[in-house]
Amino acid sequence: MENVSGVGEWQRFERHADGRTEYREVRQEGIRCHLRWGIVGGNGTAMTVTRDDERDARRHASRKAREYLRKGFTATEAVAGTESAPDAGAPGEQGARERPGADDRPLLGDLPDADGFLPVDGFEAIHRRRPATAAPRAGFHEYLVLGDDGRRAVRFAVGAASHDPEAVAAFLAFLDTRRDLPFDGGSHHKVRLPAPAGRFTHALFRSPALTGSGDARVASAHPVFDCEIGDADTEVLVDARTTGHGAIRLGDWDREPRPVVDLRYAVEPSFHRPARKKFLVFRTDDLRSLLAALPGATPGSWLEVRSYRGGTRRFTPATAPSYEALLPFLLGTG
């Protein structure tokens, strides 16, 4: 299990020229490196970069700081509570502004549109809101499982089209006994449910740093199939499976299982170039494409597939199976 890294302070750099002040800001949070830049008094820009691990993210933040100094910026003190860049739409940044005493106030009174949350019958300190939509099966239901006297919460959302009250109630009953788990210092936890919630058998807890919300008081939990999260997944792999290309649709509770597809390969010719010599997260369609290309590839071509249990299988042009034949290995059923 990976440890959650601490949330670093913003580092701010400024440069004065032609009657204006440019700024650059950088902050490392777990495997993410947050950047903001712009002109003081004008519109700003922000982005979030996800690195391979926490150490790599720290190195990236340090490189950016050295780069700013080389370009003539001077390090200044980043003032908490100021918003240098209006970047509410930037990934990983919305709600990231820190306010003095924010951790001491009840969370529900500090969230946008908090008055939309209503208590859930049969549960204590669990609230739900359903944003208004034109169609009854559009939008989503959002839940907050409050802890620490209401100062932090575990959040999850369910698409309205797949909202099953019975499955949600089963999942809430489980979360009711696990409110503190995503705040224990681990980046994530994959936990078997005592009884299925709908068709789901496990829960995935993500720490505040891994959710990318920027709010250290809000973690997340979602029901998942066993095969969707690797038993020994690192923080960066869970991030890739939940926010990367082809990510699990965590709010879709009537989805089919989306098994782990970790690949490394050297297949020539194929649409997948260049070769990948270390395991990376891929989509199911990528695996299908590589399996289809492998029988006609050069003799030295190969493909390795890793399942959520950590087992690997290696294939050559002479041994390439169909995707359907490989599926029980990915699902853990054969």
Side-chain angles (χ1 to χ4, degrees), residues 148-169:
D148 191 22
D149 294 328
R151 290 191 292 266
R152 63 189 185 191
V154 181
R155 180 185 353 224
F156 70 90
V158 187
S162 59
H163 186 271
D164 178 349
E166 185 175 340
V168 170

Side-chain angles (χ1 to χ4, degrees), residues 36-105:
R36 302 193 300 217
W37 65 93
I39 305 296
V40 172
N43 291 330
T45 306
M47 69 178 294
T48 296
V49 178
T50 302
R51 308 300 295 184
D52 287 341
D53 52 40
E54 180 185 344
R55 180 180 298 178
D56 189 25
R58 283 198 301 269
R59 286 198 298 261
H60 186 75
S62 296
R63 284 196 298 268
K64 298 304 292 186
R66 292 194 298 269
E67 173 190 324
Y68 301 150
L69 293 174
R70 287 197 306 269
K71 292 182 176 180
F73 286 82
T74 301
T76 64
E77 184 176 354
V79 181
T82 60
E83 184 169 334
S84 302
D87 53 1
E93 287 301 298
Q94 188 170 2
R97 310 292 172 251
E98 297 198 12
R99 295 171 296 279
D103 288 343
D104 297 327
R105 297 202 299 269

Side-chain angles (χ1 to χ4, degrees), residues 110-135:
D110 201 35
L111 290 176
D113 303 321
D115 55 354
F117 282 97
L118 299 175
V120 176
D121 291 340
F123 294 98
E124 183 178 351
I126 297 180
H127 293 71
R128 178 185 76 115
R129 68 176 173 182
R130 170 78 162 92
T133 59

